[in-house]
Amino acid sequence: MTNSAPPPDPEKGGGGPSGGEQLSTRERSELDELRHRVSALESTGPSRAGRHWLRPTGSVLLILLASLLSLLAVVSVWANSIVRDTNRYVATVAPLASNPDVQKAITNRVTTAVLAQIDVEALVKQLTQAATQKGAPSQAANLLGNLSGPITSGLKSLVSSTVERVVSSSAFETVWVNANRSVHSAVDKALTGEGGGAVSLKNNQVAIDVGPIVAKVKDQLVKAGFGPAARIPAVHTDFVVFASKDIGKIKTYMRVLEIVGSWLPIVAVLIAAAGVYLAANRRRALIWAALGWFAAMLLLGITLTVSRAIYLDHLPVGTSDAAAGAVYDALVRFLRASVRAVGAVALVTAIGAYLSGPSRVAVLTRTGCRRSIGALRDVAVSAGLPLGAVGRFVHRFKRWIGGVVLAVAAVVLFTWNYPTTAVVVWTVVIVLVAFAIREFLDAVPTRSA
């Protein structure tokens, strides 16, 4: 007579002498891997008849589109933050106040502006004439005339050193930060082509008025005993932050990116998700989508480096290349940080999707981790650690717990204001620790025979 009873479940026991015993860690791991492989083979099995070619083609096109949009999304978020976020803008330009190349460029610009208001040669000439009129000996007058060159040079050196002390002081950093914070609203006007305020757009240049620095230099010169400096009027002179003959086009692009910056990242993620959903093998599609985003970030990073060289090659004559390079690096510093962060997330996603697959490397990696954690759990249980209801709960809802961990990590990264590579790395570490704890607590309940 044929026995029609179903085969015993290895996890529930009842199939032999050892049916009431709990499966060993190795047996449970091998059983889980077998189930995973069967599921993977079923998902990659032959397509059902009549599957239309539009579905895989649409998946590829959506993934490519999402990769392109990811590049634009990162740039748009950066442009949007520079225009709308005052703290972000100040954090972007604040380091320039202590940059030696920028300090040197501002020192030269302010020195030129101050000397333009003080005719040093005329002052020396007046001094010589005054000495003659006061009845000084002819030899002294002649000596004073012969020293007109060194005296002129000394006065210019006095002005230059005074400007340098002001620009390199901590007070200047405070003035620089406060000035940029107070005029941040004018940045939007500069990017949209409207002038006004301390930031203006004219002659294809974005410039900041450093007139207040001239006023401080004037006060320092007067305190140093250089009386003629008191006659320096209020001077408005510009320090060029950015200059390009294509500033009009850049202005338009920045305005467009500023408008779409708030929702373009969401659109890119949704399109990538749609591409993965349409694919026959969604795990493989997820890997390619993540690699597409990583490639887009790599391309953007290379573009920023090449653009820097092109920008410096097209600077106006007389502009300091070192200072211009420092300004460029400061303006794109957070953009580069975002590129690295998004690239890191994409690479981690691709690796995670690969390690969840049926490949030999993935299986060995998962098996090794499970056996190691399982051995540690067995030792802890043998030492008297009671898992009890916690172990049964984790075993029952193991997949749900893993999904929640990944969802929380995704929400944290997506809602974090300007995440850095360090934030991504720490998030990955915490996720791995959470999965290790889940595996440690996953205790199969022991059933009696």
Side-chain angles (χ1 to χ4, degrees), residues 9 26 38 67 78 101 112 179 202 221 270 334 343 352 365:
D9 190 334
R26 179 176 180 178
V38 170
S67 300
W78 167 75
D101 295 321
T112 301
K202 54 187 177 182
L221 289 173
L270 292 178
F334 288 115
T365 301

Side-chain angles (χ1 to χ4, degrees), residues 389-410 430-443:
V390 175
R392 292 191 295 271
F393 176 84
V394 172
H395 179 73
R396 182 178 180 182
F397 298 102
K398 187 174 182 179
R399 290 192 175 184
W400 283 98
I401 294 174
V404 169
V405 170
L406 293 177
V408 170
I430 293 173
V431 168
L432 293 177
V433 171
F435 271 83
I437 294 175
R438 183 194 68 164
E439 187 66 27
F440 180 83
L441 297 177
D442 178 19

Side-chain angles (χ1 to χ4, degrees), residues 170-433:
S170 58
F172 168 69
E173 295 184 14
T174 303
V175 170
W176 176 268
V177 170
N178 291 338
N180 278 281
R181 182 179 295 278
S182 64
V183 303
H184 172 254
S185 60
V187 173
D188 190 14
K189 294 182 179 180
L191 293 178
T192 55
E194 301 177 12
V199 178
S200 61
L201 179 61
K202 54 187 177 182
N203 299 326
N204 293 325
Q205 296 177 340
V206 175
I208 295 180
D209 180 16
V210 292
I213 302 175
V214 177
K216 284 189 170 293
V217 171
K218 171 184 175 179
D219 295 338
Q220 292 291 328
L221 289 173
V222 172
K223 291 179 180 179
F226 188 52
R231 297 196 298 268
I232 298 177
V235 177
H236 295 281
T237 184
D238 294 333
F239 173 73
V240 177
V241 176
F242 185 83
S244 173
K245 64 179 181 179
D246 297 323
I247 190 69
K249 294 180 181 179
I250 296 174
K251 171 192 63 180
T252 303
Y253 297 151
M254 290 283 287
R255 183 58 178 167
V256 172
L257 291 175
E258 184 263 335
I259 293 174
V260 303
S262 58
W263 52 266
L264 190 56
I266 300 176
V267 172
V269 171
L270 292 178
I271 292 178
V276 172
Y277 178 79
L278 286 179
N281 189 327
R282 292 171 182 166
R283 183 186 60 81
R284 186 176 300 171
L286 178 59
I287 294 176
W288 283 110
L291 291 178
W293 281 51
F294 178 78
M297 296 304 103
L298 184 61
L299 176 62
L300 181 55
I302 295 174
T303 301
L304 290 176
T305 302
V306 174
S307 298
R308 185 183 191 274
I310 295 175
Y311 168 65
L312 295 181
D313 287 341
H314 292 79
L315 287 174
V317 178
T319 304
S320 170
D321 288 354
V327 171
Y328 180 92
D329 292 337
L331 290 176
V332 302
R333 180 164 62 100
F334 288 115
L335 177 56
R336 283 187 171 132
S338 298
V339 167
R340 298 189 188 103
V342 175
V345 171
L347 189 59
V348 167
T349 301
I351 294 174
Y354 173 78
L355 292 179
S356 67
S359 68
R360 181 175 179 81
V361 174
V363 171
L364 290 176
T365 301
R366 293 198 304 270
T367 302
C369 292
R370 286 174 178 171
R371 287 179 179 177
S372 300
I373 297 175
L376 180 62
R377 179 183 59 243
D378 292 341
V379 171
V381 171
S382 299
L385 177 66
L387 294 179
V390 175
R392 292 191 295 271
F393 176 84
V394 172
H395 179 73
R396 182 178 180 182
F397 298 102
K398 187 174 182 179
R399 290 192 175 184
W400 283 98
I401 294 174
V404 169
V405 170
L406 293 177
V408 170
V411 170
V412 168
L413 290 176
F414 200 79
T415 58
W416 192 292
N417 284 334
Y418 317 117
T420 62
T421 306
V423 173
V424 175
V425 171
W426 277 110
T427 302
V428 172
V429 170
I430 293 173
V431 168
L432 293 177
V433 171

